[in-house]
Amino acid sequence: MKTKITFLLFLFALLPFSGQAIGTWQTAVAISNGETKSGTLSDATGQKENWYKISVTENGAISLDITPGAGLNINYISLYTLKDGSASVERKFVYIGTDQKSLTENNVAAGTYYVKILRSSGNGGYTLKYNFTKNSYKNDTEPNNTYQQGQPLTINETVTGHLGYSYHFSDIDNNDWYRLTIKEKGVVNFKIKPDTASSISIDYIELFKITETGTTSKGFVYVEREEKQLTLNDIEPGDYALRVFRLGGAGAYT
């Protein structure tokens, strides 16, 4: 009887070392805006990586601040997106080590993001703080990526829009289209102002006349990060489309 009890206790002592599951994206813990989570990483227990889940509902910036505790060396923190049913796309990562570090991504669109924290060496705890800052400008109505999808623009109207945000880098919003009707011959003016508090850079705005076979360019102006005006004289009555085309960065414009 003594031999049997000793044997069972020996097996039980081994379980924490060999049986504890390593964190996966499927078991990621949800973390909310402004929240701080605590976690541990340990080679002894098999907990070599931890995952968290972020739900983003609008364009903005993700900030993740991680602080390793004494005795823990963290390899890196990564931000992932979903593709083909798994968190397989690494969008950005930052090496950590033993110091407090931050991962910031300024051009995220709506979607579910996953955060992976991978241990390098040592054992111990850490804290993770998540903050999200939304773009304060009202977004343009999507889809508006072709002149056929252009949103209506009326005389003396001021609209705002976003460019440069994405869930996957392959679907970055690079251009916005607007539609307008000119009822009599005259002069048309468009004023555009990028939000210089953001990183947005606009390549140009261009006006097109809509014809039976497509569009014909009537004029354009380069913008980049400065307020600019496109003025066109002797514009004939008809249907037109205005294109706002992104050069780089992410942010808003009026």
Side-chain angles (χ1 to χ4, degrees), residues 140-144 146-160 176-181 190 240-242:
D140 48 283
T141 302
E142 297 284 355
N144 61 356
T146 66
Y147 80 88
Q148 295 94 335
Q149 298 172 330
Q151 300 301 309
L153 184 64
T154 59
I155 189 168
N156 294 323
E157 182 183 15
T158 298
V159 297
T160 64
D176 293 334
W177 285 86
Y178 298 91
R179 294 278 294 266
L180 59 144
T181 298
F190 299 96
Y240 291 82
L242 182 74

Side-chain angles (χ1 to χ4, degrees), residues 11-29:
L11 286 177
F12 180 78
L14 285 177
L15 284 176
F17 296 93
S18 60
Q20 183 169 332
I22 297 174
T24 65
W25 71 269
Q26 294 96 332
T27 59
V29 175

Side-chain angles (χ1 to χ4, degrees), residues 29-91:
V29 175
I31 183 170
S32 302
N33 185 22
E35 186 178 10
T36 298
K37 292 282 191 183
S38 298
T40 59
L41 293 169
S42 171
D43 184 52
T45 62
Q47 199 69 23
K48 298 179 181 179
E49 62 187 63
N50 286 336
W51 288 80
Y52 297 88
K53 181 168 63 175
I54 294 170
S55 295
V56 172
T57 60
E58 55 192 319
N59 293 338
I62 285 175
S63 178
L64 297 161
D65 299 322
I66 185 165
T67 305
L72 178 62
N73 187 314
I74 295 175
N75 192 345
Y76 58 79
I77 181 173
S78 293
L79 185 68
Y80 281 81
T81 56
L82 285 171
K83 189 174 183 180
D84 299 328
S86 68
S88 58
V89 180
E90 186 178 51
R91 177 158 174 156

Side-chain angles (χ1 to χ4, degrees), residues 217-232:
S217 177
K218 304 303 291 184
F220 68 94
V221 64
Y222 290 113
V223 180
E224 295 188 351
R225 291 181 56 77
E226 298 179 359
E227 182 177 356
K228 292 290 179 70
Q229 179 169 301
L230 172 64
T231 301
L232 299 170

